[in-house]
Structures are given as structure tokens and as C-alpha cells.
Amino acid sequence: MFQTFDSHASPDQGPPRLAALRAKLGAMELDGFLVPRADVHQGEYVAARDERLQWLTGFTGSAGFCIVLPEVAGVFIDGRYRTQVKAQVDLGSFTPVPWPEVKPGDWVKAKLAQGRVGFDPWLHTADELERLERSLEGTGVQLVAVSENPVDAIWPDQPAAPFGKAFVHPLELAGESHAEKRARLAEGLRKAGQKAAVVTLPDSLCWLLNLRGADVPKNPVLHGFAVLRDDGRVDRFVDPAKLDDAVRVHLGDAVS
């Protein structure tokens, strides 16, 4: 397999998609929306279904986000993408914003006197939202969690959720069984006085359970979550249809 560097940006599609999003926001009684390049796992690599930032704006960088307001839509990018973003987005519709030099809260306060700015709570960390909420204290701007992502609602051909089959990562390559890993980490939890740890990153999940998958292009990872208990047991949250009998035998009774 050869790597390609073809651009998947669609600058010409940005204006109509932005107009459709603003119409949807109006129907939801929102004045703005946060569009991150993130999925529910908060990792660097996302599946095609989660490329909301790219679909909306045309920007294909590996980090960034867009804040859509009634009169302006800022695409926040770091120093790696200052030139790229200008070539990939419609500059009549989207405004590149240097980040982290410009903070999201300060930018919103300068562009919106009051209103309701929505966000998908699955796509942001608690710390990220807390910082933004603190920066907007004392203003007329309110952050609002939504149960329906408006980008998904207007994306007619959004790819389906990835459905790569899981497979066992051999012990000779892993170097340590998942039982040994679970026991070692559980001991660390007990020493720290913790009852459990939540695992959200696909690569961490795969490392812990000696699994691999095919849910993200060019990354052999499996989408899912896990809760590691202080006794070494694991509760896994993975689509059961992705697991065949060999994987179930490999995981055993301690991984439910």
C-alpha cells in the first residue's frame, strides 16, 4: 500500500453547508455551535464519520476546530496550518483564527454580545468546556449541551460508524498477557486509593486487552471504552458484533 497526499478539501462546498448549519441552528434555537475535530474517544485519529470539521469547512488538518456564529465562522488552527487553511477553506465564509494565541472565549465575546452557543458533549473534554465557561462568565453568552449534533443532521451522506472486526494481538508481540497488564495496573489503582479507571482511547483499550481492530484508517485500533477495576476485572463497552469466538476466548471471564 502506498501513501497518497491527495487533498479531500471541498472549499466550494463550505458556503452552502455553513448556510445549512446556520438554518439548523436557528431551528434548534441556537446562535452558534462548536465543531471540533474530535470523536467520542478524544484521540488524534478519527474515522470518516467523525470528520465533521473537514466536511463543513474543507480543512483537512489533524487539529483544529470551528466556532460558527450568526455573522462569522472562525476556523481555529495552530502554527502548522496557517498556510494550509487559507488554501482549503472558502475565505469569504470562514475566518482563520490563530490558536492558541487567540482563546476561544475571548473570540466569542468579541463576536457575540449574547446568545446560546451549542456543543455536543460527547466531543469535548470536561476541562475544555470548563475553561470556555469560565471565560464567558459575566457575558450574555450561554453554552448549551445538545442531544442532537446539528452537523450530523445536515450531513446527508455521512459515513456509517466504523465496523472493523477485532482480532487478537499475539502474546509474542505484546510481550505481556492482558491478565498481567490488568493485574499490574490494578495494583497501581489500589496504591493510589482508586477504585477504577476509565479507558477512552482506542489505542489504550487495544494495548490493555491485547487486541487490534480496523475502525480507523491506517491505525489498527478498535473503537470502544473500558472500565478497569481495582481487582483487575474489566468492563468493556464494544459493539459485540465486532468480537468473534476467538476474541471472546482470549478475553476470558474477567473481561465482561
Side-chain angles (χ1 to χ4, degrees), residues 28-80:
M28 297 173 68
E29 299 184 342
L30 294 172
D31 301 288
F33 191 70
L34 309 180
V35 184
R37 188 191 181 277
D39 61 11
V40 300
H41 306 284
Q42 293 297 315
E44 181 178 358
Y45 304 102
V46 301
R49 177 180 180 80
D50 298 305
E51 290 281 12
R52 298 175 181 88
L53 180 65
Q54 176 179 317
W55 180 84
L56 176 67
T57 69
F59 173 63
T60 64
S62 63
F65 55 95
C66 181
I67 302 180
V68 176
L69 298 178
E71 303 298 331
V72 63
V75 181
F76 288 70
I77 35 80
D78 63 38
R80 295 171 293 174

Side-chain angles (χ1 to χ4, degrees), residues 10-243:
S10 302
D12 58 316
Q13 295 298 316
R17 290 172 178 176
L18 180 60
L21 178 57
R22 285 183 169 136
K24 179 63 177 177
L25 294 180
M28 297 173 68
E29 299 184 342
L30 294 172
D31 301 288
F33 191 70
L34 309 180
V35 184
R37 188 191 181 277
D39 61 11
V40 300
H41 306 284
Q42 293 297 315
E44 181 178 358
Y45 304 102
V46 301
R49 177 180 180 80
D50 298 305
E51 290 281 12
R52 298 175 181 88
L53 180 65
Q54 176 179 317
W55 180 84
L56 176 67
T57 69
F59 173 63
T60 64
S62 63
F65 55 95
C66 181
I67 302 180
V68 176
L69 298 178
E71 303 298 331
V72 63
V75 181
F76 288 70
I77 35 80
D78 63 38
R80 295 171 293 174
Y81 301 115
R82 304 285 161 82
T83 299
Q84 177 180 330
V85 70
K86 294 176 183 178
Q88 290 189 319
V89 309
D90 182 300
L91 296 176
S93 299
F94 297 97
T95 302
V97 181
W99 169 76
E101 294 89 336
V102 176
K103 305 299 182 186
D106 294 337
W107 187 85
V108 171
K109 286 187 289 187
K111 304 296 183 182
L112 185 67
Q114 62 180 9
R116 290 159 44 90
V117 177
F119 65 93
D120 185 336
W122 282 98
L123 304 181
H124 301 269
T125 66
D127 182 63
E128 175 188 348
L129 294 172
E130 288 171 2
R131 287 199 305 269
L132 185 53
E133 286 181 329
R134 285 197 303 268
S135 69
L136 295 174
E137 287 179 355
T139 73
V141 179
Q142 177 187 5
L143 287 182
V144 180
V146 300
S147 57
E148 176 192 30
N149 190 304
V151 176
D152 295 351
I154 65 166
W155 189 349
D157 56 349
Q158 184 180 27
F163 191 74
K165 293 289 188 178
F167 58 94
V168 176
H169 188 53
L171 180 59
E172 57 267 27
L173 297 179
E176 187 179 19
S177 71
H178 70 81
E180 292 170 322
K181 292 177 179 179
R182 290 187 286 103
R184 177 161 57 85
L185 295 182
E187 182 181 5
L189 286 175
R190 294 192 297 273
K191 289 181 177 178
Q194 304 296 323
K195 289 292 186 181
V198 178
V199 180
T200 64
L201 285 174
D203 46 348
S204 297
L205 172 69
C206 289
W207 175 86
L208 176 63
L209 299 179
N210 284 351
L211 292 177
R212 295 295 184 267
D215 282 334
V216 178
K218 303 179 180 65
N219 284 267
V221 295
L222 170 72
H223 274 172
F225 303 94
V227 178
L228 172 65
R229 307 292 180 176
D230 64 351
D231 61 0
R233 292 180 299 109
V234 166
D235 300 321
R236 58 167 171 78
F237 299 83
V238 176
D239 186 335
K242 294 181 180 182
L243 311 180

